[in-house]
Amino acid sequence: MGRAPCCDERMSVKKGPWTPEEDQKLVAYIQEHGHGSWRELPEKAGLARCGKSCRLRWTNYLRPDIKRGRFSHEEDQKIIQLHAILGNRWSAIAGHLPQRTDNEIKNYWNTHLKKRLAQMGIDPITHKTSSSGLALTSSWRPIVSTQLTHMTQWDCALAEAEARLSKKSSMKPFIRFPEAAQSSAHPSTYFMRSWKTGIEDKHRPKFGIVKRESSPVRIDCPSLVPNPARRPSNLLQNWDTILGLRTDQPGSLWQQPGAWSMSHTLKQIATSGRSHHLDESAASQARSSTIDMSGEVASMADDMMFPQIDRTGSNLLFVFESAGATRSDSVDRYGTTTPGDYFSPTSTLHGPDPDFTHSESGSPCGSSTDGSTLDCFDFTVQPEGSFHSFSLLPNGDGDGDDGDARLQESSLYDIPDTFWQAGQETEALQLQTVEISDDGGPDSGGLDLIIPLDFSNAEFSQHLESLCQEPSEYQTDIGEVL
DNA sequence: AAATGGTTCAACCGCAATCAG
DNA sequence: CCTGATTGCGGTTGAACCATT
C-alpha cells in the first residue's frame, strides 16, 4: 500500500507559483506563531496550500536569513570543493553556506558549476581531470583533482564530520586547564611574537586590519618550527613499529594509517627535543575529552574521503592555554571578521596566493564566549618528521554546538596545494616552502589528536623558551628576509 | 515581430528517515 | 516493537524568461 498523501486530496489544494498575497499570509503567520505543525499551518494561516508546499516555500524562499543573488567566487569554490567530498548531498553542502538553501545550491550546481567544470575538462562527478581536458585558468587551479586530494585535512574532515554530526551535536568539549600565570613572559607569547615578527604587515591587509604595537618586540625566534626530520629520533626511525603498538584496539583511530597515539606523539616530541612536558592528569583528561571526536574525524577522513590516498601524516592540534595577550573576538568565517591583534600564520600564508584569498578565513586568536581563552595551534606532522605549519585557531566555547565546529573550520584553508608548487610570490613564502617542502610537501590526514600543552609546567616553559631564543640551523628567520 | 531553442529556478514528487503514540 | 504521521532530502519538472535566428 502506498503512502498516504500529505494533504487531503479531496480538499482543493492549490499548486504552482505562490502569489505575493500567499507569501504575505505565510510570513505573517510564521512570524507570529512559528510554523508549528506544517500540516496544520495552511488552515490556520488561511492558505489553500499543502503543508509541504508551505514548508518548501518558507525554507527555500521566504526565510529571512536567506542570501539571494549571485554566488561569489569564494562560494563557487567552496561548493565545488564540498561537492568533491560530499557529492550530491546538497543539504550538507548548504550547511557550509548558511545563507544559501540546498535547493539553490543544487540548481546553481546543475546550471552553472557542472557545466563550467565540464568545459575545463573536469568530470563534475569524479572531479578528476580528463585527459582531453582544456588548460585550466589560474583562477580555477585550486579545484582540480590533484589539488583536491590535498585539500586541507581540516576542510575535508570537518566537512564530513559536520555532515555526519550535524544532527548529533555530540562533540565533546575541549578541556580546560587550571589557571596559570598570565604574564608577558608566558611561553606561548613566544609563538605570538614569532608570528608578529616574522610575517610582517605586508601580507596581512587581505585579512583585515591588524593592530600592531607601536614598537613591536623583535625577538630572535624564527617563525617556523624546526624540522625534526633532520634530527632523527628513535621514534621516527621506528615509526611503523610504534604505530603497531596501538592497533590492538578494534575500531580505534590507531588502526588508521598514519595515526599516532597520544603517548607516542608526546614521546616523539620529547625525543626530537622540541618541547615539552605534559601533565599526566591533563593528558588523561585530554584523551577522554577529545579522542572520540578526533578519532571519528580521522576515521572519516580515511575511510570516506581519502580511500585512495596513502596517508602518512598526522595532524596534531596543540591546545595552549592563553598567554594573556589581548585577544580579538572570535571570527565568523561566514560573516564579518573582527580584527585581532594576531593572525593565524596559516591564514597569512594564504594571502599571496591569488587563488586562496579567503578574506573570511583569517583566524585571529579567539576568546570563547564564556570569557575564558584557549588558543589552538595546528601542526601537521609527517612521519618523516617535518612540521608543515601551525595555525592559530580561535577556540569554541566547548559547549558542543556547531559554533565549535565553525570555529575549528577557521583552519579550513590550511595550506593549499598551490602553495607548495612553483610560483610563490613572496620571499617569505619561498623560504617557508624550502623549509617545509624539502621533506615532501604536505600530506593529507585527518585531525588525529588534540594535545594539551601545559604552559604552567616549568620544564616545558623553559624548553620552549630556550627553543625560541636559540637560533637553530633548522630554523628560518623570515624577519631577516623581510 | 514571431518562432525557436536554451536557461533558470521555484516548485513538485516520491522516497527515506525520524518521530510520536 | 509496530504503525502511521511528519519531516528532510534529492531528483525532476515545467513555466517564465532570455537569446538567437
Side-chain angles (χ1 to χ4, degrees):
Chain A
M1 182 176 137
R3 191 184 152 71
C6 67
C7 302
D8 193 332
E9 300 278 11
R10 291 167 300 185
M11 293 175 64
S12 54
V13 178
K14 188 184 172 192
K15 291 186 178 181
W18 281 64
T19 65
E21 290 74 25
E22 287 177 311
D23 284 346
Q24 201 174 4
K25 281 184 182 177
L26 182 58
V27 170
Y29 180 84
I30 291 178
Q31 283 179 343
E32 188 173 347
H33 304 97
H35 62 72
S37 167
W38 286 111
R39 187 183 178 84
E40 296 168 8
L41 182 146
E43 189 180 348
K44 290 179 179 175
L47 289 162
R49 292 271 179 176
C50 148
K52 192 171 181 175
S53 177
C54 293
R55 177 170 58 82
L56 213 62
R57 183 66 179 170
W58 173 258
T59 55
N60 282 346
Y61 200 86
L62 298 175
R63 203 157 43 103
D65 56 339
I66 289 179
K67 172 182 169 186
R68 310 203 71 82
R70 293 175 63 84
F71 281 73
S72 68
H73 182 66
E74 285 74 22
E75 286 176 313
D76 288 357
Q77 288 203 349
K78 188 152 186 68
I79 291 169
I80 293 168
Q81 289 179 336
L82 289 165
H83 187 271
I85 303 162
L86 300 168
N88 292 357
R89 292 159 65 188
W90 306 115
S91 178
I93 293 172
H96 292 264
L97 295 116
Q99 294 178 305
R100 302 287 189 180
T101 69
D102 53 357
N103 204 38
E104 191 179 14
I105 293 169
K106 178 176 60 184
N107 284 332
Y108 186 62
W109 172 265
N110 287 325
T111 58
H112 292 90
L113 297 180
K114 198 159 74 173
K115 292 174 186 171
R116 201 184 301 172
L117 287 181
Q119 284 173 356
M120 292 188 298
I122 300 169
D123 186 332
I125 298 172
T126 64
H127 289 256
K128 292 186 185 302
T129 312
S130 69
S131 56
S132 60
L134 303 173
L136 303 176
T137 61
S138 66
S139 64
W140 286 94
R141 270 186 293 122
I143 59 176
V144 302
S145 61
T146 53
Q147 284 149 340
L148 270 172
T149 62
H150 285 303
M151 187 177 161
T152 168
Q153 302 90 326
W154 276 92
D155 206 348
C156 298
L158 285 168
E160 183 59 34
E162 281 193 35
R164 186 185 280 192
L165 298 175
S166 60
K167 292 176 185 171
K168 295 181 184 175
S169 191
S170 61
M171 290 170 65
K172 297 184 178 181
F174 285 123
I175 59 167
R176 303 212 185 283
F177 287 95
E179 291 302 319
Q182 304 280 305
S183 72
S184 61
H186 197 279
S188 66
T189 304
Y190 287 108
F191 280 86
M192 306 292 189
R193 286 178 179 172
S194 71
W195 283 104
K196 282 175 70 73
T197 306
I199 298 301
E200 295 292 351
D201 282 343
K202 62 183 283 187
H203 298 309
R204 290 182 162 135
K206 291 184 177 182
F207 302 100
I209 301 165
V210 178
K211 287 182 287 185
R212 289 290 304 268
E213 298 167 10
S214 55
S215 303
V217 179
R218 289 187 74 93
I219 59 174
D220 294 324
C221 180
S223 61
L224 292 179
V225 178
N227 184 347
R230 298 171 195 167
R231 210 178 264 188
S233 68
N234 289 336
L235 181 136
L236 294 174
Q237 290 169 353
N238 298 302
W239 182 273
D240 291 336
T241 305
I242 291 166
L243 276 185
L245 293 177
R246 285 294 191 96
T247 57
D248 57 330
Q249 298 178 8
S252 77
L253 92 94
W254 315 121
Q255 292 185 321
Q256 302 299 325
W260 287 7
S261 75
M262 176 173 291
S263 60
H264 297 149
T265 304
L266 297 176
K267 192 174 173 184
Q268 188 272 337
I269 293 169
T271 309
S272 62
R274 286 301 133 207
S275 311
H276 92 299
H277 173 85
L278 182 73
D279 174 71
E280 187 51 40
S281 64
S284 174
Q285 195 180 3
R287 208 173 286 121
S288 60
S289 298
T290 63
I291 209 69
D292 288 345
M293 183 188 77
S294 59
E296 182 167 11
V297 172
S299 298
M300 284 189 286
D302 280 336
D303 297 338
M304 301 183 68
M305 288 170 287
F306 297 114
Q308 77 284 17
I309 293 177
D310 177 23
R311 291 178 63 251
T312 51
S314 294
N315 277 347
L316 312 176
L317 182 67
F318 290 75
V319 182
F320 293 81
E321 190 159 1
S322 170
T326 303
R327 299 285 185 262
S328 71
D329 292 328
S330 301
V331 66
D332 178 355
R333 61 183 294 276
Y334 300 113
T336 305
T337 299
T338 305
D341 284 339
Y342 304 101
F343 269 73
S344 157
T346 297
S347 297
T348 308
L349 292 180
H350 302 312
D353 186 326
D355 296 329
F356 281 82
T357 52
H358 297 287
S359 60
E360 78 277 28
S361 67
S363 31
C365 304
S367 58
S368 59
T369 54
D370 63 6
S372 63
T373 53
L374 280 174
D375 304 321
C376 303
F377 293 84
D378 174 25
F379 292 79
T380 299
V381 182
Q382 298 281 80
E384 296 84 3
S386 62
F387 280 92
H388 287 163
S389 69
F390 56 89
S391 64
L392 191 58
L393 309 181
N395 62 288
D397 59 6
D399 62 1
D401 65 14
D402 64 351
D404 287 336
R406 186 172 304 173
L407 288 167
Q408 290 169 32
E409 261 196 335
S410 60
S411 69
L412 277 179
Y413 305 101
D414 196 345
I415 298 182
D417 194 53
T418 49
F419 173 76
W420 307 97
Q421 299 170 349
Q424 314 313 326
E425 297 184 14
T426 71
E427 290 173 304
L429 291 180
Q430 284 172 11
L431 271 180
Q432 292 190 25
T433 303
V434 169
E435 168 74 21
I436 296 164
S437 64
D438 199 25
D439 294 291
D443 200 359
S444 59
L447 171 61
D448 293 327
L449 297 168
I450 296 178
I451 299 175
L453 298 180
D454 184 4
F455 277 108
S456 65
N457 182 279
E459 185 183 346
F460 171 52
S461 297
Q462 288 169 11
H463 206 100
L464 180 59
E465 194 167 349
S466 64
L467 171 69
C468 290
Q469 288 178 345
E470 292 175 12
S472 162
E473 58 179 311
Y474 308 111
Q475 298 172 345
T476 303
D477 192 343
I478 288 177
E480 285 182 11
V481 178
L482 297 173

